[in-house]
Amino acid sequence: MEIKQVYTPGLAHCSYVIGGRHECIVVDPARDVDQYIDIAASFGLPIKGIIETHLHADFVSGHMELAEKTGATIYITSKAKALYKHYSLSDGEEIRIDTLLFKMIDTPGHTPESTVYIVSDLERGIEPVIAFTGDTLLVGDVGRPDLFPDIKEELASSLYKSIRKIEQIGDNVEIYPAHGAGSLCGKALSSKLSSTIGTERMHNYALQIHQEKEFINSFLEDMPEAPDHFSRCSVINRNGPAITTELQKPAAYSPSKFAELIESGHIVVDTRDQLSFGAAHIPLAYGLSLKGNFSTFSGWVLPPDKPLLLVMESDTDLNLVLKSLHRVGLDNIRGYLNGGMEAYSASGLITARLKSISITELCERKKNNELVLVDTRLKGEWDTVHIEGSIHAPAPDVRKRYAEWIGDKPVAFICNTGNRSLLAASLMLNLSGMTDIINVIGGTSAWIKAGYPTV
């Protein structure tokens, strides 16, 4: 048996290629599927099976595209009610692929159709050796049960029971989850990307809560924010995503044509660095730097029903941008600005700017009560440490809360480095009508490094 873990930065997603003697299987594939074909080729084995542990919420799966390219069978629980061609599994059902025996167990909780696959290497014996735990059991955590607000109490109760089932698999069994630290599918994920059931029994805080009521209360409180695209991606994965090779390829547009398309309702996504965006950008552009968590925040804030136009630092960024947007179900990408902002500004078209200040200037202006400071990090980061007197609002929440800060004072946005605050500042510029908007470069990381006070 041979196993290869594939990690997708930004989404903190883990997928797997596992090979037997003659065939291999892909577990929870991302949408850019050529990487799995390459790994299978390095194994010298064809891909014969594709396993989905659940209808992934934070990314669009590559199961359909991989099946089309390889002819592999897709396996998923009957509870998923998948609408594409697949092999439907019942709780406890076993499937043998080559020298590997997979047993699927329903483990609802993170989502209603979450499952775990226990794997035996029949060349060694019938005893299970690994488990693909999806987002049910993570390293250091379990999957959040609050993504379906109408049934969150029911899901939390189901999750408690599912964890008790997983504990019985065997302490020696290695676990391979679908996410690691940085994912919003849990609140305390480890940066370690594999573990054993025994290790998790000893060290995973969620497995230490033995009273069901206490467990439910714990997992319905203080959960990280849930991005907009979570529910959208689940629907896409149930229906079957479009094949990316069949999508319309983005065109290179001249500045004048680009401006015409904006007037007709296209949305501009500016992927450049915060300093470049600050100096000059197209009015109403979303500031979504590739240096930040681009996939997650694009899926979170960009309207999925609008055609997208790209502004990039270089045309060489195009493939990465497309992959990142496709991962979160944003497929309607019409084109990009030929020649970038240099060509746009040279054409004489109107540009906007975003003020930037250092943490030194922020400290002085804050002492003099000259501005409103909004911290755009997630709640867990804010709770750990923040600047006294700042207002907490995760960057995407600016869409709902911007009116609170409209007034006579400038509004400054801060995050840990300046990328999320760039997004927040661009949203404030677009929605409020204010021009005195500021991005704090260096962020809280620079503030703390400089020794300025925090609470």
Side-chain angles (χ1 to χ4, degrees), residues 41-84:
S42 73
F43 286 1
L45 302 173
I47 297 171
K48 291 296 185 180
I50 301 162
I51 285 173
E52 295 281 89
T53 59
H54 61 300
L55 294 170
H56 315 280
D58 65 326
F59 69 96
V60 173
S61 175
H63 55 301
M64 295 284 290
E65 193 147 346
L66 190 58
E68 181 176 271
K69 289 190 173 188
T70 64
T73 300
I74 303 171
Y75 298 90
I76 192 168
T77 175
S78 59
K79 290 187 175 180
K81 299 178 181 177
L83 300 178
Y84 50 82

Short mmCIF file of all heavy atoms in Angstrom, two decimals, residues 41-84:
data_model
loop_
_atom_site.label_atom_id
_atom_site.label_comp_id
_atom_site.label_asym_id
_atom_site.label_seq_id
_atom_site.Cartn_x
_atom_site.Cartn_y
_atom_site.Cartn_z
N ALA A 41 0.47 8.26 -11.92
CA ALA A 41 1.48 7.85 -12.89
C ALA A 41 2.81 7.55 -12.21
O ALA A 41 3.52 6.61 -12.59
CB ALA A 41 1.66 8.96 -13.94
N SER A 42 3.13 8.34 -11.16
CA SER A 42 4.37 8.07 -10.42
C SER A 42 4.30 6.75 -9.67
O SER A 42 5.32 6.10 -9.42
CB SER A 42 4.68 9.22 -9.45
OG SER A 42 3.81 9.20 -8.33
N PHE A 43 3.09 6.34 -9.28
CA PHE A 43 2.88 5.03 -8.66
C PHE A 43 2.93 3.91 -9.70
O PHE A 43 3.10 2.75 -9.35
CB PHE A 43 1.51 4.96 -7.97
CG PHE A 43 1.38 5.73 -6.69
CD1 PHE A 43 2.43 6.47 -6.17
CD2 PHE A 43 0.19 5.71 -5.99
CE1 PHE A 43 2.29 7.18 -4.99
CE2 PHE A 43 0.03 6.41 -4.80
CZ PHE A 43 1.09 7.16 -4.30
N GLY A 44 2.73 4.28 -10.97
CA GLY A 44 2.62 3.28 -12.02
C GLY A 44 1.30 2.55 -11.99
O GLY A 44 1.20 1.40 -12.43
N LEU A 45 0.23 3.25 -11.50
CA LEU A 45 -1.08 2.61 -11.32
C LEU A 45 -2.19 3.47 -11.92
O LEU A 45 -2.13 4.70 -11.84
CB LEU A 45 -1.37 2.40 -9.83
CG LEU A 45 -0.36 1.57 -9.02
CD1 LEU A 45 -0.72 1.62 -7.55
CD2 LEU A 45 -0.33 0.14 -9.52
N PRO A 46 -3.23 2.84 -12.48
CA PRO A 46 -4.39 3.60 -12.95
C PRO A 46 -5.31 3.97 -11.80
O PRO A 46 -5.38 3.25 -10.79
CB PRO A 46 -5.08 2.62 -13.90
CG PRO A 46 -4.76 1.27 -13.32
CD PRO A 46 -3.36 1.39 -12.76
N ILE A 47 -6.04 5.09 -11.93
CA ILE A 47 -7.03 5.50 -10.93
C ILE A 47 -8.34 4.80 -11.25
O ILE A 47 -8.92 4.99 -12.32
CB ILE A 47 -7.22 7.03 -10.95
CG1 ILE A 47 -5.92 7.74 -10.56
CG2 ILE A 47 -8.35 7.44 -10.00
CD1 ILE A 47 -5.96 9.25 -10.75
N LYS A 48 -8.81 3.97 -10.32
CA LYS A 48 -10.03 3.19 -10.54
C LYS A 48 -11.19 3.62 -9.63
O LYS A 48 -12.33 3.25 -9.87
CB LYS A 48 -9.74 1.70 -10.32
CG LYS A 48 -8.84 1.10 -11.39
CD LYS A 48 -9.52 1.13 -12.75
CE LYS A 48 -8.68 0.44 -13.81
NZ LYS A 48 -9.34 0.46 -15.13
N GLY A 49 -10.89 4.38 -8.57
CA GLY A 49 -11.95 4.79 -7.66
C GLY A 49 -11.74 6.21 -7.16
O GLY A 49 -10.60 6.68 -7.04
N ILE A 50 -12.84 6.90 -6.90
CA ILE A 50 -12.82 8.24 -6.32
C ILE A 50 -13.79 8.23 -5.15
O ILE A 50 -14.97 7.91 -5.32
CB ILE A 50 -13.25 9.31 -7.34
CG1 ILE A 50 -12.32 9.29 -8.57
CG2 ILE A 50 -13.26 10.69 -6.70
CD1 ILE A 50 -12.91 9.98 -9.78
N ILE A 51 -13.30 8.56 -3.97
CA ILE A 51 -14.12 8.53 -2.76
C ILE A 51 -14.38 9.94 -2.27
O ILE A 51 -13.45 10.76 -2.16
CB ILE A 51 -13.43 7.68 -1.67
CG1 ILE A 51 -13.57 6.19 -2.00
CG2 ILE A 51 -13.98 7.98 -0.28
CD1 ILE A 51 -12.79 5.27 -1.09
N GLU A 52 -15.64 10.21 -1.96
CA GLU A 52 -16.04 11.49 -1.38
C GLU A 52 -16.52 11.23 0.05
O GLU A 52 -17.48 10.48 0.26
CB GLU A 52 -17.17 12.12 -2.19
CG GLU A 52 -16.78 12.52 -3.60
CD GLU A 52 -16.01 13.83 -3.61
OE1 GLU A 52 -14.77 13.79 -3.49
OE2 GLU A 52 -16.63 14.88 -3.74
N THR A 53 -15.86 11.85 1.03
CA THR A 53 -16.28 11.63 2.42
C THR A 53 -17.52 12.44 2.78
O THR A 53 -18.24 12.08 3.72
CB THR A 53 -15.15 12.00 3.40
OG1 THR A 53 -14.78 13.37 3.21
CG2 THR A 53 -13.93 11.11 3.20
N HIS A 54 -17.77 13.54 2.05
CA HIS A 54 -18.97 14.34 2.29
C HIS A 54 -19.09 15.36 1.17
O HIS A 54 -18.21 15.46 0.31
CB HIS A 54 -18.95 15.04 3.66
CG HIS A 54 -17.82 16.00 3.86
ND1 HIS A 54 -16.49 15.65 3.79
CD2 HIS A 54 -17.82 17.33 4.16
CE1 HIS A 54 -15.72 16.71 4.03
NE2 HIS A 54 -16.50 17.74 4.23
N LEU A 55 -20.18 16.11 1.15
CA LEU A 55 -20.36 17.18 0.17
C LEU A 55 -19.61 18.41 0.68
O LEU A 55 -20.16 19.26 1.36
CB LEU A 55 -21.85 17.50 -0.02
CG LEU A 55 -22.69 16.39 -0.63
CD1 LEU A 55 -24.18 16.74 -0.54
CD2 LEU A 55 -22.30 16.12 -2.07
N HIS A 56 -18.37 18.49 0.34
CA HIS A 56 -17.46 19.49 0.90
C HIS A 56 -18.04 20.90 0.78
O HIS A 56 -18.50 21.30 -0.29
CB HIS A 56 -16.12 19.41 0.18
CG HIS A 56 -15.64 18.00 0.02
ND1 HIS A 56 -15.04 17.32 1.04
CD2 HIS A 56 -15.74 17.13 -1.00
CE1 HIS A 56 -14.76 16.09 0.63
NE2 HIS A 56 -15.19 15.95 -0.61
N ALA A 57 -17.97 21.62 1.87
CA ALA A 57 -18.60 22.94 1.90
C ALA A 57 -17.66 24.04 1.41
O ALA A 57 -18.12 24.98 0.77
CB ALA A 57 -19.06 23.26 3.32
N ASP A 58 -16.37 23.94 1.71
CA ASP A 58 -15.51 25.09 1.46
C ASP A 58 -14.79 25.03 0.13
O ASP A 58 -14.03 25.94 -0.21
CB ASP A 58 -14.50 25.28 2.59
CG ASP A 58 -13.51 24.13 2.70
OD1 ASP A 58 -13.91 22.98 2.44
OD2 ASP A 58 -12.35 24.38 3.06
N PHE A 59 -14.99 23.97 -0.66
CA PHE A 59 -14.37 23.93 -1.98
C PHE A 59 -15.22 23.07 -2.91
O PHE A 59 -16.00 22.23 -2.48
CB PHE A 59 -12.94 23.39 -1.91
CG PHE A 59 -12.83 21.93 -1.56
CD1 PHE A 59 -12.72 20.96 -2.55
CD2 PHE A 59 -12.82 21.51 -0.24
CE1 PHE A 59 -12.61 19.62 -2.23
CE2 PHE A 59 -12.71 20.17 0.10
CZ PHE A 59 -12.62 19.22 -0.91
N VAL A 60 -15.04 23.30 -4.20
CA VAL A 60 -15.71 22.50 -5.21
C VAL A 60 -14.83 21.30 -5.52
O VAL A 60 -13.64 21.44 -5.81
CB VAL A 60 -15.98 23.31 -6.48
CG1 VAL A 60 -16.52 22.43 -7.59
CG2 VAL A 60 -16.97 24.44 -6.17
N SER A 61 -15.40 20.11 -5.43
CA SER A 61 -14.64 18.88 -5.60
C SER A 61 -14.32 18.61 -7.07
O SER A 61 -15.04 19.03 -7.98
CB SER A 61 -15.44 17.71 -5.02
OG SER A 61 -14.79 16.48 -5.27
N GLY A 62 -13.24 17.84 -7.27
CA GLY A 62 -12.84 17.46 -8.63
C GLY A 62 -13.32 16.08 -9.03
O GLY A 62 -12.81 15.52 -10.02
N HIS A 63 -14.29 15.53 -8.31
CA HIS A 63 -14.70 14.15 -8.56
C HIS A 63 -15.23 13.93 -9.98
O HIS A 63 -14.88 12.94 -10.63
CB HIS A 63 -15.74 13.70 -7.53
CG HIS A 63 -16.95 14.56 -7.41
ND1 HIS A 63 -16.89 15.88 -7.07
CD2 HIS A 63 -18.27 14.28 -7.57
CE1 HIS A 63 -18.12 16.39 -7.03
NE2 HIS A 63 -18.97 15.43 -7.34
N MET A 64 -16.04 14.86 -10.48
CA MET A 64 -16.62 14.69 -11.82
C MET A 64 -15.54 14.76 -12.90
O MET A 64 -15.50 13.95 -13.82
CB MET A 64 -17.66 15.77 -12.06
CG MET A 64 -18.87 15.68 -11.16
SD MET A 64 -19.99 14.35 -11.64
CE MET A 64 -20.63 15.01 -13.17
N GLU A 65 -14.66 15.74 -12.77
CA GLU A 65 -13.62 15.94 -13.78
C GLU A 65 -12.63 14.77 -13.78
O GLU A 65 -12.21 14.30 -14.84
CB GLU A 65 -12.90 17.25 -13.52
CG GLU A 65 -12.03 17.71 -14.65
CD GLU A 65 -11.97 19.22 -14.76
OE1 GLU A 65 -12.80 19.91 -14.15
OE2 GLU A 65 -11.10 19.70 -15.49
N LEU A 66 -12.29 14.30 -12.58
CA LEU A 66 -11.35 13.18 -12.48
C LEU A 66 -11.98 11.91 -13.04
O LEU A 66 -11.31 11.11 -13.72
CB LEU A 66 -10.94 12.98 -11.02
CG LEU A 66 -9.78 12.02 -10.76
CD1 LEU A 66 -8.52 12.44 -11.51
CD2 LEU A 66 -9.50 11.93 -9.26
N ALA A 67 -13.27 11.71 -12.78
CA ALA A 67 -13.96 10.53 -13.32
C ALA A 67 -14.01 10.58 -14.84
O ALA A 67 -13.83 9.56 -15.52
CB ALA A 67 -15.38 10.45 -12.74
N GLU A 68 -14.24 11.77 -15.39
CA GLU A 68 -14.30 11.90 -16.84
C GLU A 68 -12.95 11.59 -17.48
O GLU A 68 -12.87 10.96 -18.53
CB GLU A 68 -14.74 13.31 -17.24
CG GLU A 68 -14.83 13.49 -18.75
CD GLU A 68 -15.37 14.84 -19.15
OE1 GLU A 68 -16.60 14.99 -19.28
OE2 GLU A 68 -14.54 15.75 -19.36
N LYS A 69 -11.86 12.01 -16.82
CA LYS A 69 -10.53 11.83 -17.39
C LYS A 69 -10.00 10.41 -17.22
O LYS A 69 -9.15 9.97 -18.01
CB LYS A 69 -9.54 12.82 -16.77
CG LYS A 69 -9.75 14.25 -17.20
CD LYS A 69 -8.60 15.14 -16.75
CE LYS A 69 -8.74 16.54 -17.34
NZ LYS A 69 -7.57 17.39 -17.09
N THR A 70 -10.46 9.71 -16.20
CA THR A 70 -9.88 8.40 -15.88
C THR A 70 -10.84 7.24 -16.03
O THR A 70 -10.41 6.09 -16.08
CB THR A 70 -9.35 8.39 -14.44
OG1 THR A 70 -10.46 8.55 -13.52
CG2 THR A 70 -8.33 9.50 -14.21
N GLY A 71 -12.15 7.52 -16.07
CA GLY A 71 -13.14 6.45 -16.09
C GLY A 71 -13.37 5.82 -14.74
O GLY A 71 -14.06 4.80 -14.63
N ALA A 72 -12.82 6.41 -13.68
CA ALA A 72 -12.96 5.85 -12.33
C ALA A 72 -14.39 5.99 -11.82
O ALA A 72 -15.14 6.88 -12.24
CB ALA A 72 -12.00 6.56 -11.37
N THR A 73 -14.77 5.09 -10.91
CA THR A 73 -16.07 5.12 -10.27
C THR A 73 -16.05 6.04 -9.06
O THR A 73 -15.10 6.02 -8.28
CB THR A 73 -16.48 3.70 -9.81
OG1 THR A 73 -16.53 2.85 -10.96
CG2 THR A 73 -17.84 3.71 -9.13
N ILE A 74 -17.09 6.87 -8.90
CA ILE A 74 -17.21 7.75 -7.74
C ILE A 74 -18.04 7.02 -6.69
O ILE A 74 -19.13 6.52 -6.97
CB ILE A 74 -17.89 9.08 -8.11
CG1 ILE A 74 -17.11 9.79 -9.21
CG2 ILE A 74 -18.02 9.97 -6.87
CD1 ILE A 74 -17.83 11.00 -9.78
N TYR A 75 -17.53 6.98 -5.45
CA TYR A 75 -18.23 6.35 -4.33
C TYR A 75 -18.62 7.42 -3.33
O TYR A 75 -17.79 8.23 -2.90
CB TYR A 75 -17.33 5.32 -3.64
CG TYR A 75 -16.92 4.17 -4.53
CD1 TYR A 75 -15.74 4.24 -5.29
CD2 TYR A 75 -17.68 3.02 -4.62
CE1 TYR A 75 -15.36 3.19 -6.12
CE2 TYR A 75 -17.30 1.96 -5.44
CZ TYR A 75 -16.14 2.06 -6.18
OH TYR A 75 -15.77 1.00 -6.99
N ILE A 76 -19.89 7.42 -2.92
CA ILE A 76 -20.37 8.38 -1.93
C ILE A 76 -21.59 7.79 -1.22
O ILE A 76 -22.31 6.96 -1.79
CB ILE A 76 -20.70 9.74 -2.59
CG1 ILE A 76 -20.92 10.84 -1.54
CG2 ILE A 76 -21.89 9.62 -3.54
CD1 ILE A 76 -20.96 12.24 -2.12
N THR A 77 -21.82 8.20 0.00
CA THR A 77 -22.96 7.70 0.77
C THR A 77 -24.29 8.03 0.08
O THR A 77 -24.43 9.09 -0.55
CB THR A 77 -22.96 8.28 2.19
OG1 THR A 77 -24.15 7.86 2.88
CG2 THR A 77 -22.92 9.79 2.18
N SER A 78 -25.25 7.15 0.26
CA SER A 78 -26.59 7.40 -0.30
C SER A 78 -27.23 8.62 0.32
O SER A 78 -28.10 9.26 -0.29
CB SER A 78 -27.48 6.17 -0.09
OG SER A 78 -27.60 5.88 1.31
N LYS A 79 -26.81 8.98 1.55
CA LYS A 79 -27.38 10.14 2.22
C LYS A 79 -27.05 11.46 1.52
O LYS A 79 -27.70 12.47 1.76
CB LYS A 79 -26.91 10.19 3.67
CG LYS A 79 -27.51 9.10 4.55
CD LYS A 79 -27.13 9.32 6.00
CE LYS A 79 -27.82 8.30 6.91
NZ LYS A 79 -27.46 8.50 8.34
N ALA A 80 -26.03 11.45 0.66
CA ALA A 80 -25.66 12.67 -0.06
C ALA A 80 -26.68 13.02 -1.14
O ALA A 80 -26.74 14.16 -1.58
CB ALA A 80 -24.28 12.51 -0.67
N LYS A 81 -27.45 12.02 -1.58
CA LYS A 81 -28.44 12.23 -2.65
C LYS A 81 -27.80 12.89 -3.87
O LYS A 81 -28.33 13.84 -4.46
CB LYS A 81 -29.62 13.06 -2.13
CG LYS A 81 -30.36 12.38 -0.98
CD LYS A 81 -31.49 13.23 -0.45
CE LYS A 81 -32.19 12.53 0.72
NZ LYS A 81 -33.25 13.36 1.33
N ALA A 82 -26.63 12.35 -4.23
CA ALA A 82 -25.87 12.90 -5.36
C ALA A 82 -26.65 12.73 -6.66
O ALA A 82 -27.30 11.70 -6.89
CB ALA A 82 -24.51 12.21 -5.45
N LEU A 83 -26.56 13.73 -7.54
CA LEU A 83 -27.32 13.75 -8.78
C LEU A 83 -26.48 13.42 -10.01
O LEU A 83 -26.93 13.59 -11.14
CB LEU A 83 -27.98 15.13 -8.95
CG LEU A 83 -28.95 15.52 -7.83
CD1 LEU A 83 -29.50 16.91 -8.08
CD2 LEU A 83 -30.08 14.50 -7.70
N TYR A 84 -25.26 12.96 -9.81
CA TYR A 84 -24.39 12.56 -10.91
C TYR A 84 -24.19 11.04 -10.86
O TYR A 84 -24.61 10.38 -9.90
CB TYR A 84 -23.03 13.28 -10.79
CG TYR A 84 -22.41 13.17 -9.42
CD1 TYR A 84 -21.68 12.04 -9.04
CD2 TYR A 84 -22.57 14.19 -8.49
CE1 TYR A 84 -21.14 11.94 -7.78
CE2 TYR A 84 -22.03 14.09 -7.22
CZ TYR A 84 -21.31 12.97 -6.87
OH TYR A 84 -20.77 12.85 -5.61
#
